[in-house]
Amino acid sequence: RRDARARAYEYRLLVGPPSPLRRHRVLRHHGPPPDLEAMRAAARLVEGQHDFRAFTPTETQHVFFDRTVTRCAWEARGDELVLCVEADAFLRHMVRVLVGTMLVIGRGRWDPERMARLLEGAPRAQAGPTAPAHALTLVGVRY
């Protein structure tokens, strides 16, 4: 595990009608579709080396919060929006809090630029909610 140079995850958001066959692999988004361009703008800000303290639980065993994200992008795949993220390492719940924060941005409650402020080591309480785990998938590990 410690020899991995990068890990890649996908988080799937269903924006179409409910799908009984995918209900355990996607997060069903209720209401109007989120603003994909705003979420893409927020995702672009995540790329690079940042302090991800706002994206992990307050009570954590982590002592080092800097991570380098090499890819963070939303893709439209049919009736799903998929966040594709790759980094050298991840904090506990990091991707799920990123998704929750981007969904708040996509619903128009926060400006995408808020993401830049969060990535400067803001406290956890300033980020969005933690998205459910069932829609998160590890898709690759590079050694």
Side-chain angles (χ1 to χ4, degrees):
R1 187 180 93 192
R2 296 181 192 275
D3 292 334
R5 298 217 181 266
R7 296 134 180 95
Y9 286 91
E10 289 184 350
Y11 194 95
R12 304 178 107 65
L13 180 67
L14 180 64
V15 293
S19 172
L21 296 177
R22 292 181 284 169
R23 73 176 184 264
H24 297 296
R25 294 187 322 253
V26 298
L27 175 63
R28 171 81 165 94
H29 178 76
H30 300 281
D35 181 347
L36 181 57
E37 289 312 310
M39 294 188 338
R40 283 179 169 162
R44 281 190 296 273
L45 294 170
V46 173
E47 292 181 347
Q49 183 176 353
H50 303 285
D51 183 335
F52 286 90
R53 188 178 320 263
F55 301 95
T56 194
T58 304
E59 293 184 24
T60 181
Q61 294 179 0
H62 293 289
V63 294
F64 179 69
F65 298 93
D66 284 5
R67 299 293 186 266
T68 302
V69 175
T70 53
R71 180 168 189 245
C72 187
W74 284 96
E75 296 179 1
R77 297 183 191 167
D79 60 353
E80 293 181 8
L81 299 179
V82 181
L83 178 68
C84 302
V85 60
E86 181 176 309
D88 58 348
F90 289 90
L91 300 167
R92 187 167 181 251
H93 299 172
M94 180 174 147
V95 176
R96 294 171 49 207
V97 179
L98 283 168
V99 169
T101 302
M102 289 186 213
L103 283 175
V104 173
I105 291 169
R107 291 178 182 132
R109 294 185 191 143
W110 292 344
D111 186 86
E113 290 302 316
R114 181 174 181 141
M115 186 65 77
R117 293 188 300 276
L118 293 171
L119 292 166
E120 294 173 351
R124 171 65 185 98
Q126 292 183 15
T130 304
H134 70 276
L136 180 65
T137 306
L138 175 68
V139 294
V141 179
R142 280 192 296 120
Y143 291 95

